[in-house]
Amino acid sequence: MNNENVLEVENLKKYYPIETGIIKSKTSYLKAVDGVSFAVKKGETLGIIGESGCGKSTVAKLLMGLEKPTSGSIKFKGTDILSLDKTQMKKFRKSMQMVFQDPYSSLDPKKTAGYIIQEPLFIHNVGTKAQREARVKELLKMVGLDYYHANRYPHEFSGGQRQRINIARAIALNPEIVICDEPVSALDVSIQAQVINLLKKLQQELGLTYIFISHDLSVVKYLSDRLAIMYLGEIVETGDSKSIYSNPIHPYTKALFSAIPPESPLEEKEKIILEGDVPSPMAPPAGCKFHTRCPYTQQICQESKPLLRATKNGQKVACHLSEQLA
Ligand code: ADP
Ligand code: MG
């Protein structure tokens, strides 16, 4: 265990059994997460990117203990969280919190903002009534809301404000890690920047570690120290954000990055259009799962599965052609 890592994930898999056939006797598996490994250092942001359905939210649910993995390990500060009993799990939950995509459905419409933010404190029996109220006041201020907002109901807030309430709730117990699963995807672009700036500010003030999940690279760009790019349940490229942004190597990463609008109108950018749809995770292609859409595909890509390997640029890439493409 590297001391700097707060979280270490090793070969994590989540296969959902799916009943098929008329008499539902045959079970096949949907490989939502198919052997994912990564580590997160204290205070950094790991961005997880990939198209819808590639397994990002399933990774988040596994980390939060909301789903049980098929196999693999998740270590928080060296302790395997999958081996924790109920009491230990409850304690661990305080350290890891989540902000969800839809700021509306994740808030109980019948509860006031003040109650919603305080709820984790009730659940974990933290503080007296007066202390909890003082904490709510403090949290509202931290996320840029006013104290009078405490008595309002979710429908009385805008989308951006609702996400601020979710963030206040997520940090109420002083967690170490906050998993943000598409936290701004449901918001207008102008509001997205405000919420991202808030997350950045809180990270600096509180020394938070983030796992920031998004299908939108331009959103992740402003926050991530490191990136993991997922395709059909697997990480195809990972490393320092800067090196991946300046030199994406995996053909899938290249295609994703080519779709971001150039920063200057003078910058020439070739847009790589991927052909075909994402294959079904119930019947992923053999060999490299990306070979059916890859513009560089060769015989070997259909036959053998490439492993994540370090490249000379520092990032790790799962591609047979990584040396030529680097
Ligand atoms: P993402 O967040 O990247 O869009 P998800 O992790 O939500 O992707 O889903 C990954 C794959 O797993 C998808 O094909 C999805 O349909 C499937 N999936 C997610 N949850 C379940 C479940 N409870 N039962 C069966 N399949 C699921
Ligand atoms: Mg998702």
Side-chain angles (χ1 to χ4, degrees):
M1 176 93 192
N2 178 332
N3 283 337
E4 273 187 283
N5 291 337
V6 261
L7 195 68
E8 285 183 348
V9 171
E10 204 72 54
N11 206 10
L12 195 62
K13 293 184 182 172
K14 179 67 186 179
Y15 291 0
Y16 289 110
I18 305 282
E19 286 174 343
T20 51
I22 303 163
I23 45 172
K24 297 197 172 170
S25 57
K26 221 178 123 198
T27 305
S28 52
Y29 292 90
L30 185 150
K31 298 177 176 179
V33 176
D34 198 11
V36 158
S37 304
F38 59 85
V40 192
K41 291 193 182 75
K42 189 167 172 50
E44 77 168 358
T45 300
L46 172 72
I48 301 183
I49 316 167
E51 285 163 294
S52 172
C54 72
K56 305 181 297 296
S57 294
T58 307
V59 168
K61 286 180 204 154
L62 293 169
L63 297 178
M64 292 294 297
L66 301 171
E67 292 270 10
K68 253 189 140 51
T70 306
S71 63
S73 81
I74 303 171
K75 281 188 187 148
F76 175 73
K77 292 185 167 173
T79 306
D80 185 353
I81 62 161
L82 302 170
S83 66
L84 300 181
D85 64 27
K86 256 189 160 164
T87 326
Q88 292 167 319
M89 191 67 193
K90 191 170 174 191
K91 205 168 151 225
F92 158 73
R93 284 245 163 90
K94 284 167 79 174
S95 316
M96 193 122 102
Q97 295 289 324
M98 189 154 163
V99 177
F100 294 90
Q101 170 168 359
D102 182 348
Y104 198 57
S105 68
S106 48
L107 297 175
D108 184 341
K110 294 193 284 294
K111 306 261 164 67
T112 61
Y115 182 91
I116 291 168
I117 295 170
Q118 239 181 101
E119 201 172 40
L121 305 174
F122 295 136
I123 295 171
H124 290 275
N125 237 327
V126 177
T128 61
K129 189 167 180 281
Q131 284 168 331
R132 285 195 294 263
E133 270 164 24
R135 179 71 175 146
V136 169
K137 197 169 182 173
E138 181 182 44
L139 287 163
L140 283 166
K141 196 167 171 220
M142 283 164 82
V143 299
L145 293 171
D146 288 309
Y147 191 49
Y148 67 82
H149 285 129
N151 297 320
R152 296 200 174 169
Y153 290 87
H155 74 268
E156 298 176 76
F157 293 97
S158 68
Q161 287 176 320
R162 283 198 285 263
Q163 204 54 306
R164 288 174 193 267
I165 296 170
N166 271 316
I167 293 167
R169 180 188 159 93
I171 60 170
L173 292 164
N174 283 319
E176 299 214 27
I177 302 182
V178 179
I179 302 177
C180 305
D181 188 0
E182 310 252 14
V184 299
S185 300
L187 304 175
D188 292 344
V189 174
S190 58
I191 309 294
Q192 287 189 351
Q194 292 173 12
V195 173
I196 287 171
N197 287 339
L198 170 66
L199 287 168
K200 248 185 164 165
K201 180 191 87 134
L202 292 172
Q203 180 167 44
Q204 278 156 8
E205 286 171 6
L206 307 171
L208 293 169
T209 304
Y210 287 148
I211 294 180
F212 192 97
I213 295 173
S214 182
H215 68 278
D216 184 350
L217 263 174
S218 47
V219 165
V220 183
K221 189 171 178 181
Y222 295 103
L223 269 173
S224 304
D225 300 295
R226 283 186 312 116
L227 293 176
I229 291 105
M230 285 185 72
Y231 187 77
L232 280 175
E234 294 175 4
I235 293 177
V236 295
E237 180 157 1
T238 183
D240 202 61
S241 293
K242 285 202 188 89
S243 44
I244 297 185
Y245 271 96
S246 60
N247 184 28
I249 295 174
H250 195 285
Y252 179 61
T253 320
K254 285 184 192 289
L256 283 184
F257 278 67
S258 79
I260 318 179
E263 281 180 15
S264 130
L266 299 174
E267 188 185 327
E268 279 195 35
K269 221 170 164 181
E270 189 197 349
K271 193 166 174 178
I272 305 170
I273 312 274
L274 290 177
E275 298 199 2
D277 293 325
V278 183
S280 161
M282 282 186 70
C288 171
K289 286 184 182 176
F290 186 60
H291 87 255
T292 52
R293 298 172 80 200
C294 181
Y296 306 94
T297 189
Q298 310 210 338
Q299 187 72 24
I300 183 173
C301 310
Q302 298 167 32
E303 290 162 1
S304 95
K305 185 182 158 74
L307 301 174
L308 261 186
R309 277 179 313 198
T311 63
K312 56 180 188 287
N313 309 54
Q315 63 245 49
K316 287 184 183 165
V317 180
C319 173
H320 291 301
L321 308 171
S322 58
E323 271 169 34
Q324 287 106 291
L325 298 172

